[in-house]
Short mmCIF file of all heavy atoms in Angstrom, two decimals:
data_model
loop_
_atom_site.label_atom_id
_atom_site.label_comp_id
_atom_site.label_asym_id
_atom_site.label_seq_id
_atom_site.Cartn_x
_atom_site.Cartn_y
_atom_site.Cartn_z
N MET D 78 4.33 -39.09 -137.82
CA MET D 78 4.84 -38.45 -139.02
C MET D 78 3.66 -37.91 -139.83
O MET D 78 2.62 -38.54 -139.94
CB MET D 78 5.62 -39.48 -139.85
CG MET D 78 6.13 -38.90 -141.14
SD MET D 78 7.00 -40.08 -142.18
CE MET D 78 8.36 -40.48 -141.14
N SER D 79 3.84 -36.77 -140.43
CA SER D 79 2.83 -36.16 -141.27
C SER D 79 2.95 -36.68 -142.69
O SER D 79 3.83 -37.46 -143.00
CB SER D 79 2.99 -34.65 -141.23
OG SER D 79 2.82 -34.17 -139.93
N LYS D 80 2.09 -36.19 -143.55
CA LYS D 80 2.10 -36.63 -144.93
C LYS D 80 3.24 -36.00 -145.71
O LYS D 80 3.69 -34.90 -145.42
CB LYS D 80 0.78 -36.24 -145.59
CG LYS D 80 -0.41 -36.98 -145.01
CD LYS D 80 -1.67 -36.58 -145.71
CE LYS D 80 -1.81 -37.48 -146.91
NZ LYS D 80 -3.09 -37.37 -147.56
N LEU D 81 3.67 -36.70 -146.73
CA LEU D 81 4.69 -36.20 -147.64
C LEU D 81 4.07 -35.10 -148.49
O LEU D 81 2.98 -35.26 -149.05
CB LEU D 81 5.17 -37.35 -148.52
CG LEU D 81 6.32 -37.08 -149.46
CD1 LEU D 81 7.58 -36.75 -148.66
CD2 LEU D 81 6.57 -38.29 -150.33
N VAL D 82 4.75 -33.98 -148.60
CA VAL D 82 4.25 -32.84 -149.37
C VAL D 82 4.94 -32.82 -150.71
O VAL D 82 6.14 -33.00 -150.81
CB VAL D 82 4.51 -31.52 -148.62
CG1 VAL D 82 4.08 -30.33 -149.46
CG2 VAL D 82 3.81 -31.51 -147.28
N ARG D 83 4.17 -32.57 -151.75
CA ARG D 83 4.73 -32.48 -153.09
C ARG D 83 3.92 -31.49 -153.91
O ARG D 83 3.00 -30.86 -153.41
CB ARG D 83 4.75 -33.84 -153.76
CG ARG D 83 3.40 -34.46 -153.86
CD ARG D 83 3.48 -35.90 -154.30
NE ARG D 83 2.12 -36.38 -154.38
CZ ARG D 83 1.67 -37.20 -155.28
NH1 ARG D 83 2.48 -37.69 -156.17
NH2 ARG D 83 0.43 -37.58 -155.29
N ASP D 84 4.27 -31.32 -155.16
CA ASP D 84 3.56 -30.45 -156.08
C ASP D 84 3.52 -29.00 -155.61
O ASP D 84 2.56 -28.29 -155.86
CB ASP D 84 2.13 -30.95 -156.33
CG ASP D 84 2.09 -32.33 -156.95
OD1 ASP D 84 3.02 -32.68 -157.69
OD2 ASP D 84 1.14 -33.07 -156.67
N ASN D 85 4.57 -28.56 -154.91
CA ASN D 85 4.67 -27.16 -154.46
C ASN D 85 3.48 -26.71 -153.63
O ASN D 85 3.10 -25.54 -153.67
CB ASN D 85 4.88 -26.24 -155.66
CG ASN D 85 6.15 -26.53 -156.40
OD1 ASN D 85 7.20 -26.71 -155.77
ND2 ASN D 85 6.08 -26.60 -157.71
N ILE D 86 2.90 -27.61 -152.87
CA ILE D 86 1.72 -27.29 -152.06
C ILE D 86 1.98 -26.13 -151.10
O ILE D 86 1.14 -25.23 -151.00
CB ILE D 86 1.20 -28.54 -151.33
CG1 ILE D 86 0.71 -29.59 -152.33
CG2 ILE D 86 0.10 -28.18 -150.33
CD1 ILE D 86 -0.41 -29.14 -153.25
N PRO D 87 3.12 -26.09 -150.38
CA PRO D 87 3.33 -24.93 -149.49
C PRO D 87 3.26 -23.59 -150.23
O PRO D 87 2.68 -22.63 -149.74
CB PRO D 87 4.71 -25.17 -148.89
CG PRO D 87 4.86 -26.66 -148.92
CD PRO D 87 4.19 -27.07 -150.21
N GLU D 88 3.85 -23.54 -151.42
CA GLU D 88 3.82 -22.30 -152.19
C GLU D 88 2.41 -21.96 -152.64
O GLU D 88 1.99 -20.80 -152.61
CB GLU D 88 4.75 -22.40 -153.41
CG GLU D 88 4.85 -21.13 -154.21
CD GLU D 88 5.34 -19.93 -153.40
OE1 GLU D 88 6.14 -20.11 -152.45
OE2 GLU D 88 4.90 -18.81 -153.69
N ILE D 89 1.64 -22.95 -153.03
CA ILE D 89 0.25 -22.72 -153.44
C ILE D 89 -0.56 -22.20 -152.26
O ILE D 89 -1.37 -21.27 -152.41
CB ILE D 89 -0.36 -24.02 -154.01
CG1 ILE D 89 0.32 -24.38 -155.34
CG2 ILE D 89 -1.88 -23.89 -154.19
CD1 ILE D 89 0.01 -25.77 -155.87
N ILE D 90 -0.32 -22.75 -151.07
CA ILE D 90 -1.02 -22.28 -149.87
C ILE D 90 -0.68 -20.81 -149.62
O ILE D 90 -1.56 -19.99 -149.34
CB ILE D 90 -0.66 -23.15 -148.65
CG1 ILE D 90 -1.26 -24.55 -148.82
CG2 ILE D 90 -1.15 -22.50 -147.35
CD1 ILE D 90 -0.78 -25.56 -147.80
N ARG D 91 0.62 -20.45 -149.75
CA ARG D 91 1.04 -19.05 -149.57
C ARG D 91 0.36 -18.13 -150.58
O ARG D 91 -0.09 -17.04 -150.24
CB ARG D 91 2.55 -18.92 -149.70
CG ARG D 91 3.32 -19.32 -148.50
CD ARG D 91 4.80 -18.96 -148.64
NE ARG D 91 5.58 -19.85 -147.83
CZ ARG D 91 6.15 -20.98 -148.23
NH1 ARG D 91 6.06 -21.36 -149.49
NH2 ARG D 91 6.81 -21.73 -147.40
N GLN D 92 0.31 -18.57 -151.84
CA GLN D 92 -0.30 -17.75 -152.90
C GLN D 92 -1.78 -17.51 -152.63
O GLN D 92 -2.33 -16.51 -153.09
CB GLN D 92 -0.11 -18.42 -154.26
CG GLN D 92 1.31 -18.39 -154.75
CD GLN D 92 1.52 -19.20 -156.02
OE1 GLN D 92 0.60 -19.84 -156.53
NE2 GLN D 92 2.74 -19.19 -156.53
N ASN D 93 -2.39 -18.43 -151.91
CA ASN D 93 -3.81 -18.28 -151.57
C ASN D 93 -4.02 -17.60 -150.23
O ASN D 93 -5.12 -17.62 -149.68
CB ASN D 93 -4.50 -19.64 -151.59
CG ASN D 93 -4.63 -20.19 -153.00
OD1 ASN D 93 -4.96 -19.46 -153.92
ND2 ASN D 93 -4.34 -21.46 -153.18
N GLY D 94 -2.95 -17.01 -149.68
CA GLY D 94 -3.07 -16.24 -148.45
C GLY D 94 -2.91 -17.03 -147.18
O GLY D 94 -3.05 -16.49 -146.08
N GLY D 95 -2.62 -18.31 -147.28
CA GLY D 95 -2.47 -19.15 -146.10
C GLY D 95 -1.02 -19.23 -145.63
O GLY D 95 -0.11 -18.69 -146.27
N VAL D 96 -0.86 -19.87 -144.50
CA VAL D 96 0.47 -20.09 -143.95
C VAL D 96 0.65 -21.61 -143.81
O VAL D 96 0.02 -22.23 -142.95
CB VAL D 96 0.62 -19.41 -142.57
CG1 VAL D 96 2.00 -19.70 -141.98
CG2 VAL D 96 0.37 -17.91 -142.69
N PRO D 97 1.48 -22.21 -144.66
CA PRO D 97 1.66 -23.66 -144.60
C PRO D 97 2.42 -24.08 -143.34
O PRO D 97 3.31 -23.37 -142.88
CB PRO D 97 2.47 -23.97 -145.86
CG PRO D 97 3.21 -22.71 -146.15
CD PRO D 97 2.31 -21.60 -145.69
N ASP D 98 2.06 -25.22 -142.81
CA ASP D 98 2.75 -25.79 -141.65
C ASP D 98 3.46 -27.04 -142.15
O ASP D 98 2.82 -28.06 -142.43
CB ASP D 98 1.74 -26.14 -140.55
CG ASP D 98 2.39 -26.72 -139.31
OD1 ASP D 98 3.61 -26.55 -139.14
OD2 ASP D 98 1.67 -27.35 -138.52
N TYR D 99 4.78 -26.96 -142.30
CA TYR D 99 5.54 -28.08 -142.83
C TYR D 99 6.96 -28.05 -142.30
O TYR D 99 7.40 -27.07 -141.71
CB TYR D 99 5.56 -28.05 -144.36
CG TYR D 99 6.40 -26.93 -144.93
CD1 TYR D 99 7.70 -27.16 -145.34
CD2 TYR D 99 5.89 -25.64 -145.06
CE1 TYR D 99 8.48 -26.14 -145.85
CE2 TYR D 99 6.66 -24.62 -145.56
CZ TYR D 99 7.95 -24.87 -145.97
OH TYR D 99 8.72 -23.86 -146.47
N ARG D 100 7.66 -29.14 -142.53
CA ARG D 100 9.09 -29.20 -142.23
C ARG D 100 9.75 -30.12 -143.23
O ARG D 100 9.10 -30.97 -143.84
CB ARG D 100 9.35 -29.66 -140.80
CG ARG D 100 9.02 -31.09 -140.53
CD ARG D 100 9.40 -31.47 -139.09
NE ARG D 100 9.30 -32.89 -138.91
CZ ARG D 100 10.19 -33.79 -139.31
NH1 ARG D 100 11.30 -33.41 -139.91
NH2 ARG D 100 10.02 -35.07 -139.10
N ILE D 101 11.03 -29.96 -143.41
CA ILE D 101 11.80 -30.77 -144.34
C ILE D 101 12.36 -31.98 -143.59
O ILE D 101 12.82 -31.84 -142.45
CB ILE D 101 12.93 -29.93 -144.97
CG1 ILE D 101 12.30 -28.78 -145.77
CG2 ILE D 101 13.84 -30.78 -145.84
CD1 ILE D 101 13.28 -27.77 -146.29
N ALA D 102 12.30 -33.14 -144.23
CA ALA D 102 12.83 -34.37 -143.62
C ALA D 102 14.25 -34.13 -143.14
O ALA D 102 15.05 -33.49 -143.82
CB ALA D 102 12.78 -35.52 -144.61
N SER D 103 14.55 -34.67 -141.96
CA SER D 103 15.86 -34.42 -141.35
C SER D 103 17.00 -35.17 -142.03
O SER D 103 18.14 -34.74 -141.95
CB SER D 103 15.81 -34.77 -139.87
OG SER D 103 15.50 -36.14 -139.70
N ASP D 104 16.69 -36.28 -142.70
CA ASP D 104 17.75 -37.05 -143.37
C ASP D 104 17.13 -37.97 -144.42
O ASP D 104 15.92 -38.04 -144.56
CB ASP D 104 18.58 -37.85 -142.37
CG ASP D 104 17.76 -38.80 -141.51
OD1 ASP D 104 16.69 -39.27 -141.98
OD2 ASP D 104 18.18 -39.08 -140.38
N ASP D 105 18.00 -38.65 -145.15
CA ASP D 105 17.53 -39.54 -146.21
C ASP D 105 16.66 -40.67 -145.68
O ASP D 105 15.70 -41.09 -146.34
CB ASP D 105 18.71 -40.13 -146.99
CG ASP D 105 19.39 -39.10 -147.88
OD1 ASP D 105 18.77 -38.07 -148.18
OD2 ASP D 105 20.54 -39.36 -148.28
N SER D 106 16.99 -41.16 -144.51
CA SER D 106 16.21 -42.26 -143.92
C SER D 106 14.77 -41.83 -143.65
O SER D 106 13.82 -42.56 -143.97
CB SER D 106 16.88 -42.72 -142.62
OG SER D 106 16.09 -43.70 -141.99
N GLU D 107 14.60 -40.65 -143.11
CA GLU D 107 13.25 -40.14 -142.84
C GLU D 107 12.50 -39.90 -144.15
O GLU D 107 11.31 -40.19 -144.26
CB GLU D 107 13.33 -38.85 -142.03
CG GLU D 107 11.95 -38.31 -141.67
CD GLU D 107 11.99 -37.00 -140.90
OE1 GLU D 107 13.08 -36.43 -140.71
OE2 GLU D 107 10.91 -36.56 -140.50
N PHE D 108 13.21 -39.38 -145.15
CA PHE D 108 12.58 -39.14 -146.45
C PHE D 108 12.15 -40.46 -147.09
O PHE D 108 11.04 -40.57 -147.63
CB PHE D 108 13.56 -38.38 -147.36
CG PHE D 108 12.97 -38.00 -148.70
CD1 PHE D 108 11.84 -37.22 -148.79
CD2 PHE D 108 13.58 -38.42 -149.87
CE1 PHE D 108 11.30 -36.87 -150.02
CE2 PHE D 108 13.05 -38.07 -151.11
CZ PHE D 108 11.92 -37.29 -151.18
N GLN D 109 13.00 -41.48 -147.02
CA GLN D 109 12.64 -42.80 -147.56
C GLN D 109 11.43 -43.37 -146.84
O GLN D 109 10.55 -43.96 -147.48
CB GLN D 109 13.83 -43.76 -147.45
CG GLN D 109 14.91 -43.52 -148.48
CD GLN D 109 14.42 -43.75 -149.90
OE1 GLN D 109 13.64 -44.65 -150.16
NE2 GLN D 109 14.87 -42.93 -150.82
N GLN D 110 11.38 -43.21 -145.53
CA GLN D 110 10.23 -43.69 -144.77
C GLN D 110 8.96 -42.98 -145.21
O GLN D 110 7.90 -43.60 -145.38
CB GLN D 110 10.46 -43.49 -143.27
CG GLN D 110 9.34 -44.03 -142.42
CD GLN D 110 9.60 -43.82 -140.93
OE1 GLN D 110 10.50 -43.12 -140.52
NE2 GLN D 110 8.78 -44.44 -140.12
N ALA D 111 9.05 -41.68 -145.43
CA ALA D 111 7.89 -40.92 -145.90
C ALA D 111 7.46 -41.39 -147.28
O ALA D 111 6.25 -41.50 -147.56
CB ALA D 111 8.21 -39.43 -145.92
N LEU D 112 8.42 -41.69 -148.15
CA LEU D 112 8.09 -42.20 -149.48
C LEU D 112 7.42 -43.57 -149.40
O LEU D 112 6.47 -43.84 -150.14
CB LEU D 112 9.35 -42.29 -150.35
CG LEU D 112 9.89 -40.97 -150.86
CD1 LEU D 112 11.26 -41.17 -151.49
CD2 LEU D 112 8.93 -40.34 -151.86
N ASP D 113 7.90 -44.42 -148.51
CA ASP D 113 7.29 -45.74 -148.33
C ASP D 113 5.84 -45.61 -147.88
O ASP D 113 4.95 -46.30 -148.40
CB ASP D 113 8.07 -46.57 -147.32
CG ASP D 113 9.41 -47.04 -147.83
OD1 ASP D 113 9.64 -46.97 -149.05
OD2 ASP D 113 10.23 -47.47 -147.00
N LEU D 114 5.59 -44.71 -146.95
CA LEU D 114 4.22 -44.49 -146.47
C LEU D 114 3.35 -43.91 -147.58
O LEU D 114 2.18 -44.27 -147.71
CB LEU D 114 4.23 -43.57 -145.25
CG LEU D 114 4.83 -44.16 -143.98
CD1 LEU D 114 4.95 -43.08 -142.91
CD2 LEU D 114 4.00 -45.33 -143.48
N LYS D 115 3.92 -43.00 -148.37
CA LYS D 115 3.17 -42.41 -149.48
C LYS D 115 2.82 -43.47 -150.51
O LYS D 115 1.71 -43.48 -151.05
CB LYS D 115 3.99 -41.29 -150.13
CG LYS D 115 3.26 -40.53 -151.19
CD LYS D 115 2.08 -39.80 -150.61
CE LYS D 115 1.37 -38.96 -151.65
NZ LYS D 115 0.18 -38.32 -151.09
N LEU D 116 3.74 -44.39 -150.79
CA LEU D 116 3.45 -45.46 -151.73
C LEU D 116 2.31 -46.33 -151.22
O LEU D 116 1.39 -46.66 -151.98
CB LEU D 116 4.70 -46.30 -151.97
CG LEU D 116 4.57 -47.45 -152.97
CD1 LEU D 116 4.13 -46.93 -154.34
CD2 LEU D 116 5.90 -48.19 -153.07
N ASP D 117 2.34 -46.67 -149.93
CA ASP D 117 1.24 -47.45 -149.34
C ASP D 117 -0.09 -46.72 -149.50
O ASP D 117 -1.10 -47.32 -149.87
CB ASP D 117 1.50 -47.70 -147.85
CG ASP D 117 2.66 -48.64 -147.59
OD1 ASP D 117 3.06 -49.37 -148.52
OD2 ASP D 117 3.15 -48.66 -146.44
N GLU D 118 -0.08 -45.41 -149.22
CA GLU D 118 -1.30 -44.60 -149.33
C GLU D 118 -1.83 -44.61 -150.76
O GLU D 118 -3.03 -44.78 -150.98
CB GLU D 118 -0.98 -43.16 -148.90
CG GLU D 118 -2.10 -42.18 -149.11
CD GLU D 118 -1.66 -40.74 -148.88
OE1 GLU D 118 -0.79 -40.50 -148.01
OE2 GLU D 118 -2.17 -39.86 -149.59
N GLU D 119 -0.93 -44.43 -151.72
CA GLU D 119 -1.36 -44.39 -153.12
C GLU D 119 -1.90 -45.74 -153.59
O GLU D 119 -2.85 -45.80 -154.38
CB GLU D 119 -0.22 -43.92 -154.02
CG GLU D 119 0.24 -42.50 -153.78
CD GLU D 119 -0.83 -41.44 -153.97
OE1 GLU D 119 -1.89 -41.72 -154.58
OE2 GLU D 119 -0.62 -40.32 -153.49
N ILE D 120 -1.33 -46.83 -153.11
CA ILE D 120 -1.83 -48.16 -153.48
C ILE D 120 -3.24 -48.36 -152.93
O ILE D 120 -4.12 -48.88 -153.63
CB ILE D 120 -0.86 -49.25 -152.99
CG1 ILE D 120 0.43 -49.20 -153.82
CG2 ILE D 120 -1.51 -50.63 -153.08
CD1 ILE D 120 1.56 -50.04 -153.27
N ILE D 121 -3.47 -47.93 -151.71
CA ILE D 121 -4.82 -48.02 -151.13
C ILE D 121 -5.80 -47.21 -151.96
O ILE D 121 -6.92 -47.66 -152.26
CB ILE D 121 -4.81 -47.56 -149.66
CG1 ILE D 121 -4.06 -48.59 -148.80
CG2 ILE D 121 -6.23 -47.32 -149.14
CD1 ILE D 121 -3.74 -48.11 -147.40
N GLU D 122 -5.39 -46.00 -152.36
CA GLU D 122 -6.26 -45.16 -153.18
C GLU D 122 -6.53 -45.80 -154.54
O GLU D 122 -7.64 -45.71 -155.05
CB GLU D 122 -5.65 -43.77 -153.34
CG GLU D 122 -5.68 -42.98 -152.04
CD GLU D 122 -4.99 -41.63 -152.14
OE1 GLU D 122 -4.55 -41.24 -153.24
OE2 GLU D 122 -4.88 -40.96 -151.09
N LEU D 123 -5.53 -46.46 -155.12
CA LEU D 123 -5.74 -47.15 -156.40
C LEU D 123 -6.77 -48.26 -156.24
O LEU D 123 -7.66 -48.42 -157.07
CB LEU D 123 -4.41 -47.72 -156.91
CG LEU D 123 -4.50 -48.62 -158.15
CD1 LEU D 123 -5.04 -47.84 -159.34
CD2 LEU D 123 -3.15 -49.22 -158.46
N ARG D 124 -6.65 -49.02 -155.17
CA ARG D 124 -7.58 -50.12 -154.95
C ARG D 124 -9.03 -49.65 -154.77
O ARG D 124 -9.96 -50.40 -155.03
CB ARG D 124 -7.15 -50.94 -153.75
CG ARG D 124 -5.91 -51.75 -154.04
CD ARG D 124 -5.53 -52.59 -152.87
NE ARG D 124 -4.38 -53.43 -153.21
CZ ARG D 124 -3.46 -53.81 -152.34
NH1 ARG D 124 -3.55 -53.45 -151.09
NH2 ARG D 124 -2.46 -54.55 -152.74
N SER D 125 -9.20 -48.42 -154.31
CA SER D 125 -10.56 -47.93 -154.10
C SER D 125 -11.01 -46.96 -155.20
O SER D 125 -12.06 -46.32 -155.07
CB SER D 125 -10.68 -47.26 -152.73
OG SER D 125 -9.84 -46.14 -152.65
N ALA D 126 -10.23 -46.86 -156.27
CA ALA D 126 -10.60 -45.97 -157.38
C ALA D 126 -11.94 -46.41 -157.97
O ALA D 126 -12.19 -47.59 -158.17
CB ALA D 126 -9.52 -45.98 -158.44
N SER D 127 -12.77 -45.42 -158.24
CA SER D 127 -14.15 -45.72 -158.64
C SER D 127 -14.40 -45.71 -160.14
O SER D 127 -15.44 -46.17 -160.59
CB SER D 127 -15.09 -44.72 -157.96
OG SER D 127 -14.72 -43.40 -158.32
N ASP D 128 -13.47 -45.16 -160.91
CA ASP D 128 -13.69 -45.09 -162.35
C ASP D 128 -12.33 -45.06 -163.07
O ASP D 128 -11.29 -44.89 -162.42
CB ASP D 128 -14.52 -43.86 -162.71
CG ASP D 128 -13.89 -42.56 -162.23
OD1 ASP D 128 -12.75 -42.26 -162.63
OD2 ASP D 128 -14.54 -41.83 -161.46
N PRO D 129 -12.33 -45.24 -164.38
CA PRO D 129 -11.07 -45.30 -165.12
C PRO D 129 -10.21 -44.03 -164.98
O PRO D 129 -8.99 -44.11 -164.90
CB PRO D 129 -11.50 -45.51 -166.57
CG PRO D 129 -12.82 -46.19 -166.47
CD PRO D 129 -13.47 -45.58 -165.24
N GLU D 130 -10.83 -42.86 -164.94
CA GLU D 130 -10.07 -41.61 -164.80
C GLU D 130 -9.36 -41.56 -163.45
O GLU D 130 -8.17 -41.23 -163.37
CB GLU D 130 -10.99 -40.41 -164.96
CG GLU D 130 -10.24 -39.09 -164.89
CD GLU D 130 -11.14 -37.88 -165.12
OE1 GLU D 130 -12.13 -38.00 -165.85
OE2 GLU D 130 -10.83 -36.84 -164.55
N ASN D 131 -10.07 -41.90 -162.39
CA ASN D 131 -9.48 -41.92 -161.06
C ASN D 131 -8.39 -42.97 -160.96
O ASN D 131 -7.34 -42.75 -160.35
CB ASN D 131 -10.57 -42.12 -160.01
CG ASN D 131 -10.06 -41.95 -158.60
OD1 ASN D 131 -9.99 -42.91 -157.86
ND2 ASN D 131 -9.68 -40.73 -158.24
N THR D 132 -8.62 -44.12 -161.58
CA THR D 132 -7.62 -45.18 -161.61
C THR D 132 -6.35 -44.69 -162.28
O THR D 132 -5.24 -44.90 -161.76
CB THR D 132 -8.17 -46.42 -162.34
OG1 THR D 132 -9.31 -46.91 -161.63
CG2 THR D 132 -7.13 -47.52 -162.45
N ALA D 133 -6.47 -44.02 -163.40
CA ALA D 133 -5.30 -43.49 -164.12
C ALA D 133 -4.55 -42.48 -163.26
O ALA D 133 -3.31 -42.47 -163.24
CB ALA D 133 -5.74 -42.87 -165.44
N GLU D 134 -5.28 -41.62 -162.55
CA GLU D 134 -4.64 -40.63 -161.68
C GLU D 134 -3.85 -41.31 -160.57
O GLU D 134 -2.73 -40.89 -160.26
CB GLU D 134 -5.69 -39.69 -161.09
CG GLU D 134 -6.30 -38.73 -162.09
CD GLU D 134 -7.44 -37.92 -161.50
OE1 GLU D 134 -7.64 -37.94 -160.26
OE2 GLU D 134 -8.12 -37.24 -162.28
N GLU D 135 -4.42 -42.33 -159.99
CA GLU D 135 -3.73 -43.04 -158.90
C GLU D 135 -2.50 -43.79 -159.42
O GLU D 135 -1.46 -43.83 -158.75
CB GLU D 135 -4.68 -43.98 -158.17
CG GLU D 135 -5.84 -43.28 -157.48
CD GLU D 135 -5.44 -42.16 -156.55
OE1 GLU D 135 -4.31 -42.18 -156.00
OE2 GLU D 135 -6.25 -41.23 -156.35
N ILE D 136 -2.61 -44.37 -160.60
CA ILE D 136 -1.45 -45.04 -161.20
C ILE D 136 -0.33 -44.02 -161.44
O ILE D 136 0.84 -44.29 -161.16
CB ILE D 136 -1.84 -45.77 -162.49
CG1 ILE D 136 -2.72 -46.98 -162.15
CG2 ILE D 136 -0.60 -46.19 -163.28
CD1 ILE D 136 -3.35 -47.65 -163.36
N ALA D 137 -0.69 -42.84 -161.94
CA ALA D 137 0.30 -41.78 -162.16
C ALA D 137 0.96 -41.38 -160.85
O ALA D 137 2.18 -41.16 -160.80
CB ALA D 137 -0.35 -40.58 -162.83
N ASP D 138 0.18 -41.29 -159.78
CA ASP D 138 0.75 -40.95 -158.46
C ASP D 138 1.73 -42.02 -158.00
O ASP D 138 2.80 -41.71 -157.47
CB ASP D 138 -0.36 -40.78 -157.42
CG ASP D 138 -1.18 -39.52 -157.62
OD1 ASP D 138 -0.74 -38.62 -158.36
OD2 ASP D 138 -2.27 -39.44 -157.01
N ILE D 139 1.38 -43.28 -158.20
CA ILE D 139 2.27 -44.38 -157.82
C ILE D 139 3.56 -44.32 -158.62
O ILE D 139 4.66 -44.47 -158.06
CB ILE D 139 1.56 -45.75 -158.00
CG1 ILE D 139 0.47 -45.90 -156.94
CG2 ILE D 139 2.57 -46.90 -157.94
CD1 ILE D 139 -0.47 -47.08 -157.18
N ILE D 140 3.45 -44.08 -159.90
CA ILE D 140 4.65 -43.98 -160.75
C ILE D 140 5.54 -42.84 -160.29
O ILE D 140 6.77 -42.98 -160.21
CB ILE D 140 4.25 -43.83 -162.24
CG1 ILE D 140 3.63 -45.13 -162.74
CG2 ILE D 140 5.45 -43.41 -163.09
CD1 ILE D 140 2.98 -45.03 -164.10
N GLU D 141 4.94 -41.71 -159.94
CA GLU D 141 5.71 -40.56 -159.46
C GLU D 141 6.49 -40.92 -158.18
O GLU D 141 7.67 -40.59 -158.04
CB GLU D 141 4.79 -39.38 -159.21
CG GLU D 141 5.51 -38.13 -158.76
CD GLU D 141 4.59 -36.95 -158.56
OE1 GLU D 141 3.41 -37.00 -158.94
OE2 GLU D 141 5.08 -35.95 -158.00
N VAL D 142 5.82 -41.60 -157.26
CA VAL D 142 6.49 -42.01 -156.02
C VAL D 142 7.61 -43.00 -156.33
O VAL D 142 8.72 -42.90 -155.79
CB VAL D 142 5.48 -42.61 -155.01
CG1 VAL D 142 6.21 -43.19 -153.80
CG2 VAL D 142 4.47 -41.57 -154.57
N LEU D 143 7.35 -43.97 -157.21
CA LEU D 143 8.38 -44.94 -157.57
C LEU D 143 9.59 -44.27 -158.23
O LEU D 143 10.74 -44.65 -157.94
CB LEU D 143 7.80 -46.02 -158.49
CG LEU D 143 6.81 -46.97 -157.82
CD1 LEU D 143 6.17 -47.88 -158.87
CD2 LEU D 143 7.49 -47.79 -156.74
N PHE D 144 9.37 -43.30 -159.10
CA PHE D 144 10.49 -42.57 -159.70
C PHE D 144 11.31 -41.85 -158.64
O PHE D 144 12.53 -41.83 -158.70
CB PHE D 144 10.01 -41.57 -160.75
CG PHE D 144 9.72 -42.17 -162.10
CD1 PHE D 144 8.66 -41.70 -162.85
CD2 PHE D 144 10.52 -43.17 -162.65
CE1 PHE D 144 8.38 -42.24 -164.09
CE2 PHE D 144 10.26 -43.70 -163.90
CZ PHE D 144 9.19 -43.23 -164.63
N THR D 145 10.64 -41.27 -157.66
CA THR D 145 11.34 -40.58 -156.59
C THR D 145 12.15 -41.56 -155.74
O THR D 145 13.30 -41.29 -155.39
CB THR D 145 10.36 -39.78 -155.71
OG1 THR D 145 9.62 -38.88 -156.55
CG2 THR D 145 11.09 -39.00 -154.65
N ILE D 146 11.56 -42.71 -155.45
CA ILE D 146 12.29 -43.74 -154.69
C ILE D 146 13.51 -44.21 -155.50
O ILE D 146 14.60 -44.40 -154.93
CB ILE D 146 11.37 -44.93 -154.35
CG1 ILE D 146 10.33 -44.51 -153.31
CG2 ILE D 146 12.18 -46.13 -153.87
CD1 ILE D 146 9.23 -45.54 -153.08
N ALA D 147 13.34 -44.35 -156.80
CA ALA D 147 14.43 -44.84 -157.65
C ALA D 147 15.61 -43.86 -157.72
O ALA D 147 16.75 -44.28 -157.90
CB ALA D 147 13.92 -45.11 -159.07
N LYS D 148 15.33 -42.58 -157.52
CA LYS D 148 16.41 -41.57 -157.54
C LYS D 148 17.34 -41.82 -156.39
O LYS D 148 18.45 -41.51 -156.33
CB LYS D 148 15.86 -40.16 -157.45
CG LYS D 148 15.22 -39.68 -158.71
CD LYS D 148 14.75 -38.26 -158.51
CE LYS D 148 13.93 -37.78 -159.68
NZ LYS D 148 13.43 -36.44 -159.48
#
């Protein structure tokens, strides 16, 4: 499985002249699995944050993933 895409990244890639390579999750189960993996990734990044600004960014990312899971 590839990484979960967010923040309109495919559109940003197009605006910069690129061609994004992506696909939409086939069902809710696959989307939930991608969210679970993303949460794990963000927790790892939080644990390795090097300064308060980076820590805050990682906490915000975790909160965003949790809000999406809660929906």
Side-chain angles (χ1 to χ4, degrees):
M78 178 182 297
S79 299
K80 294 181 88 170
L81 185 65
V82 176
R83 58 190 181 143
D84 299 329
N85 298 315
I86 296 300
E88 184 58 32
I89 292 168
I90 291 170
R91 280 189 206 94
Q92 290 173 357
N93 289 318
V96 178
D98 181 18
Y99 70 97
R100 69 177 190 79
I101 297 172
S103 61
D104 57 28
D105 287 342
S106 176
E107 183 182 6
F108 184 58
Q109 284 296 322
Q110 183 180 10
L112 286 170
D113 289 346
L114 291 172
K115 185 64 176 177
L116 182 58
D117 291 343
E118 174 189 326
E119 295 301 344
I120 290 169
I121 290 168
E122 290 176 5
L123 173 62
R124 288 182 176 148
S125 63
S127 57
D128 57 59
E130 182 177 330
N131 188 248
T132 298
E134 289 174 11
E135 297 307 333
I136 290 170
D138 289 344
I139 290 169
I140 291 170
E141 183 178 349
V142 173
L143 291 172
F144 279 143
T145 304
I146 290 170
K148 286 182 188 178

